[in-house]
Amino acid sequence: MRDRHSLISATCTLIFLLFAAIAGGCQTSRQFALSSRPPGATLKLDGVELGKTPMTQPIAFSSGQTRIVTASRVGFKDTPLRLTADSPLTQTIDLKPITRMVRVNVEPFPAIIKVDGIATSADPTAEWSKELEFSIDAAGNWSTHTITAERLGFQPAGGTVTGAETAPNLTLVLQPMEKDVSISSSPPDATVYWDGINKGKTPITLPREKFATDPQTNQWHFYRLKLLKPGYDPVEQQISWDEGQASYRFTLKPISKVVHILPTPANATIAIDGREVPNDADGGVTVTLPFPPDANGEAKKYAVHITRKTESSEWHPADLTIGWDDQKQDYPITLREVKTTLVDLIVPQIERPVDKWRIIPGAVRTLAAKDVAEPSARSQPARVYQPAAGTSIDSLAVSASQVVFSELIARDKTDLRAALKTISTDGTPGVRDVSDGKSLDLNPTFSTTGNEIYYSSDRSGGQDIWRLSTNGQGGFTQLTKEETLDLYPSADASNPTRLYYQGLVNNRSGEPRIYVKELGKDFRTELPDAGTQPRISRDNSNLMVCVKNQKTGNRDLQLYKVNEKQALAVNITNNPDSDDFDPAWSPGGRKIAFVSNRGLDEDRRSNFDIWVLDLDKPDQPVQITNNASWDDCPAWSDDGKSIYFRSNRGGAWAIWRIDLSTENQGGTP
């Protein structure tokens, strides 16, 4: 039977080959062993399915013919194999996994994109795309790729893509790092400010605070942490990611400060809370004092007792109370010696020897108390500048940042010179020369903005009004050129258009006159009444002038309403028994500081002091200084809380400042 079947098979093969030869001419058939990696691929011969690998398959070839075997498997690309009659009989087809174009976008900032843990580039990028390979396992599941985006200061963002998607797209959104921030302090109950926002008191936990980095610099964002507790030093710290640190604990220190008590004269006996403290080299004491809070939360206060006595002199004891005082460190105090002294003052003396007025050196002998302090409980003055020996301060003015003054020096009996100088109002040491001292520069005053100085000068020959910039730029500008001796300029508003000043006409005798000049024009207007020291208010509504009483020779303050046509002058001080002069407007325009000898000192002597008059209550002036010395030339600080003035107290002429207390300020200036 077996032989019979073999005979039939051989016969069929022969017949097949015979028909093949007849049909295609001369053909060759070869037996190929076909396989694939991986196995199980479906094979097609010239589009006709043969079966799955591995398999053995006879393939016939006509002369020069090329046959195409294509291997197909789910998850892999169709792979062709070209065979000829001369090809090896054993063929293995390597299948390539299927690929998909994957596109990735990163928001809001570029980041390092990784595929299956491997970075796609060394630099951060906002988008990336590439053909990735995918496969299917035996269970028919597609392989996946894990894609992540990483950037310093942000949580990693990630996702997966699979070959089941024709064109996988993935958007990765970066989120800032987050952590709970726990803040505690010893002692507790400190107020926590987080970027300036009150978050409550310690201990406290701020949940899920976000931290990220700056996209330009990669620097970590930080929060400003501040802890405040009365009686303790503030704690300030920047809190950032800090490698994930979550707990922050702070130990609060009681507030303390270095206190420098400097009496004048120096080398006094100083006791703090009854304990005597040795003197420093400068004759004061320096000590570090803590200020722990009491049961009511109030900082401790120290009682300071100061005494001084020598073989020849004795000073009144002085007492200080030193509290926290907004961290104030310097406590200068002047001990009052009950003595007076004579002090000479160089003054500009106006004379008219022929038909032209001129200014020559003059001298006035004044009485001064050696004690510079005020006898009452009012604010004590502070000396801000003292000129060198042989010179004198003439007059002064104040802006927000500077004090300008004229410093006189007499070269001989007829040659008087004065230079304009400035010092800082914030206490910064140093004196700046505004003019060179080669001419006679007097009566400086600031514009409202403080950017310009108006003054009287003989730099062009006559005594005229000039203007210069406080920054030294722009040079000197002459504003008046009339045949008058011009003094005491006062300009209106922040953009001056009018100039008020005092003038003496050269070709006639008599009292000084008040003139108004439109800046940039050649003409001027004369006020109907004689007067001196004109001062225009900041709002340009009122002009204050000193008017001499012809019977007593004393001066009064006279007010003009300059914005009212044909307005009559009003005598504000109206006190013929006292000499009232040197008016100075307060910043708000409600008050006038002036000089008057209407008051009496401790020894019942009449001397010049600083007074303040409220225009709403002109009959109730308030005495600001009451030292047994000569105080004049008042000038308000820009905030209206202090008055600068010239004084001979202490036995030497200098510029002083006194802070206005509640009792002598009388409300808003």
Side-chain angles (χ1 to χ4, degrees):
M1 180 66 70
R2 182 175 302 170
D3 293 338
R4 183 171 179 267
H5 283 296
S6 298
L7 180 59
I8 295 172
S9 177
T11 302
C12 289
T13 300
L14 181 60
I15 294 171
F16 172 81
L17 294 174
L18 179 61
F19 277 95
I22 296 172
C26 183
Q27 286 191 339
T28 302
S29 177
R30 306 192 70 195
Q31 193 78 4
F32 286 90
L34 302 176
S35 62
S36 64
R37 280 195 293 269
T42 299
L43 298 182
K44 291 183 179 179
L45 177 61
D46 293 336
V48 179
E49 186 172 327
L50 300 178
K52 294 184 181 296
T53 59
M55 66 181 300
T56 300
Q57 176 67 41
I59 300 177
F61 298 88
S62 59
S63 178
Q65 183 181 15
T66 298
R67 308 294 301 273
I68 304 299
V69 176
T70 303
S72 300
R73 193 180 192 280
V74 177
F76 294 85
K77 295 181 179 179
D78 289 350
T79 304
L81 176 65
R82 302 175 69 85
L83 297 176
T84 66
D86 297 325
S87 298
L89 297 178
T90 300
Q91 296 285 339
T92 299
I93 303 174
D94 288 315
L95 300 179
K96 301 297 183 182
I98 195 169
T99 60
R100 297 281 190 260
M101 176 60 73
V102 177
R103 291 179 173 84
V104 180
N105 294 301
V106 182
E107 298 176 355
F109 305 113
I112 297 297
I113 299 174
K114 292 183 178 181
V115 178
D116 297 332
I118 300 175
T120 60
S121 65
D123 298 320
T125 181
E127 57 185 13
W128 175 84
S129 62
K130 187 178 181 181
E131 290 272 350
L132 296 181
E133 295 181 348
F134 295 86
S135 61
I136 294 180
D137 61 18
N141 297 317
W142 281 95
S143 64
T144 61
H145 290 286
T146 300
I147 300 178
T148 59
E150 298 176 6
R151 183 186 177 96
L152 181 66
F154 294 85
Q155 302 176 47
T160 59
V161 292
T162 176
E165 301 170 83
T166 303
N169 292 316
L170 189 63
T171 298
L172 303 179
V173 180
L174 299 174
Q175 298 294 338
M177 303 295 286
E178 292 182 349
K179 66 177 179 179
D180 295 339
V181 179
S182 296
I183 304 169
S184 59
S185 67
S186 178
D189 296 325
T191 302
V192 176
Y193 290 89
W194 188 256
D195 264 1
I197 300 174
N198 188 336
K199 292 291 189 178
K201 295 183 179 295
T202 56
I204 190 173
T205 297
L206 309 179
R208 301 183 67 82
E209 289 293 339
K210 291 179 170 55
F211 296 82
T213 56
D214 186 289
Q216 302 298 324
T217 65
N218 281 333
Q219 297 295 315
W220 281 97
H221 166 76
F222 62 84
Y223 293 90
R224 296 183 301 275
L225 171 67
K226 187 173 185 178
L227 301 183
L228 294 180
K229 184 176 176 66
Y232 295 88
D233 287 334
V235 172
E236 295 189 48
Q237 182 170 318
Q238 294 179 353
I239 303 297
S240 190
W241 180 244
D242 301 333
E243 298 181 346
Q245 179 182 347
S247 180
Y248 296 85
R249 181 172 178 81
F250 302 92
T251 299
L252 305 181
K253 296 180 180 180
I255 54 177
S256 64
K257 64 179 179 179
V258 176
V259 174
H260 185 210
I261 304 170
L262 184 61
T264 302
N267 297 313
T269 300
I270 300 176
I272 301 176
D273 278 358
R275 180 177 63 88
E276 188 173 320
V277 183
N279 290 120
D280 298 332
D282 64 358
V285 299
T286 302
V287 61
T288 300
L289 299 176
F291 292 83
D294 58 19
N296 297 322
E298 297 293 331
K300 176 179 173 60
K301 294 183 178 181
Y302 294 87
V304 180
H305 186 65
I306 306 172
T307 57
R308 192 176 193 276
K309 186 176 182 180
T310 66
E311 292 182 358
S312 58
S313 300
E314 184 174 0
W315 287 258
H316 293 287
D319 292 294
L320 282 175
T321 299
I322 296 180
W324 181 240
D325 303 334
D326 292 328
Q327 296 183 304
K328 178 182 176 181
Q329 292 183 307
D330 295 327
Y331 289 85
I333 185 168
T334 301
L335 303 178
R336 185 168 58 90
E337 183 183 4
V338 187
K339 286 185 177 181
T340 58
T341 185
L342 293 174
V343 182
D344 288 333
L345 174 66
I346 301 174
V347 296
Q349 180 176 320
I350 301 175
E351 65 172 17
R352 186 171 174 267
V354 186
D355 60 351
K356 184 176 181 179
W357 295 96
R358 70 174 184 176
I359 299 177
I360 62 172
V364 176
R365 177 152 289 189
T366 63
L367 185 67
K370 289 184 178 180
D371 185 359
V372 302
E374 291 294 319
S376 66
R378 294 172 180 161
S379 300
Q380 295 299 321
R383 181 167 45 209
V384 297
Y385 176 76
Q386 183 171 324
T391 63
S392 289
I393 296 170
D394 178 52
S395 59
L396 58 98
V398 179
S399 72
S401 60
Q402 298 181 88
V403 179
V404 64
F405 57 93
S406 178
E407 193 167 291
L408 296 168
I409 183 169
R411 296 183 177 181
D412 56 41
K413 293 182 179 180
T414 60
D415 189 1
L416 181 65
R417 293 288 178 264
L420 299 183
K421 300 185 177 184
T422 61
I423 56 176
S424 176
T425 59
D426 64 6
T428 302
V431 180
R432 185 172 74 91
D433 292 329
V434 179
S435 64
D436 57 16
K438 296 180 180 179
S439 54
L440 182 60
D441 299 335
L442 301 172
N443 312 139
T445 184
F446 284 102
S447 64
T448 304
T449 62
N451 295 328
E452 295 177 318
I453 297 174
Y454 294 81
Y455 65 104
S456 171
S457 179
D458 66 352
R459 63 179 50 242
S460 65
Q463 195 74 31
D464 300 305
I465 305 302
W466 292 70
R467 178 178 62 197
L468 61 84
S469 173
T470 56
N471 61 15
Q473 299 178 357
F476 302 83
T477 302
Q478 186 174 2
L479 302 180
T480 64
K481 299 179 181 179
E482 287 80 11
E483 291 295 314
T484 53
L485 189 150
D486 300 334
L487 298 168
Y488 295 103
S490 181
D492 63 356
S494 59
N495 185 21
T497 59
R498 290 173 296 180
L499 177 70
Y500 298 83
Y501 61 97
Q502 160 192 326
L504 282 164
V505 181
N506 284 331
N507 58 7
R508 72 187 186 196
S509 61
E511 296 296 326
R513 313 298 298 184
I514 303 299
Y515 295 95
V516 184
K517 178 181 176 62
E518 298 289 331
L519 294 179
K521 299 180 180 180
D522 294 330
F523 62 90
R524 64 180 180 178
T525 302
E526 180 180 334
L527 265 64
D529 301 317
T532 62
Q533 298 183 319
R535 288 291 179 261
I536 187 67
S537 62
R538 289 194 179 188
D539 63 359
N540 307 322
S541 62
N542 296 303
L543 179 69
M544 193 68 67
V545 174
C546 293
V547 178
K548 185 177 180 180
N549 187 307
Q550 297 301 322
K551 292 182 179 180
T552 64
N554 290 326
R555 289 163 288 184
D556 278 317
L557 302 184
Q558 191 161 279
L559 181 70
Y560 287 89
K561 296 284 187 179
V562 299
N563 289 333
E564 296 178 13
K565 294 182 179 180
Q566 299 179 346
L568 298 176
V570 178
N571 193 322
I572 298 299
T573 52
N574 198 23
N575 189 351
D577 295 327
S578 66
D579 194 14
D580 301 328
F581 58 98
D582 280 355
W585 287 99
S586 67
R590 294 183 54 245
K591 297 181 180 181
I592 294 289
F594 65 101
V595 178
S596 179
N597 62 356
R598 64 182 67 194
L600 301 175
D601 62 24
E602 289 181 311
D603 296 323
R604 308 300 298 170
R605 290 190 297 259
S606 175
N607 62 288
F608 291 119
D609 296 302
I610 308 299
W611 292 69
V612 169
L613 178 149
D614 192 323
L615 292 180
D616 294 333
K617 298 177 289 186
D619 58 341
Q620 301 177 36
V622 177
Q623 188 171 3
I624 304 302
T625 64
N626 192 24
N627 181 275
S629 300
W630 183 319
D631 301 334
D632 63 7
C633 298
W636 294 81
S637 64
D638 207 56
D639 59 8
K641 296 181 179 180
S642 304
I643 290 179
Y644 292 77
F645 61 100
R646 182 180 69 168
S647 177
N648 66 357
R649 60 184 65 207
W653 286 99
I655 298 175
W656 295 75
R657 186 193 71 246
I658 188 167
D659 296 330
L660 300 181
S661 62
T662 303
E663 64 182 84
N664 65 22
Q665 190 175 9
T668 304

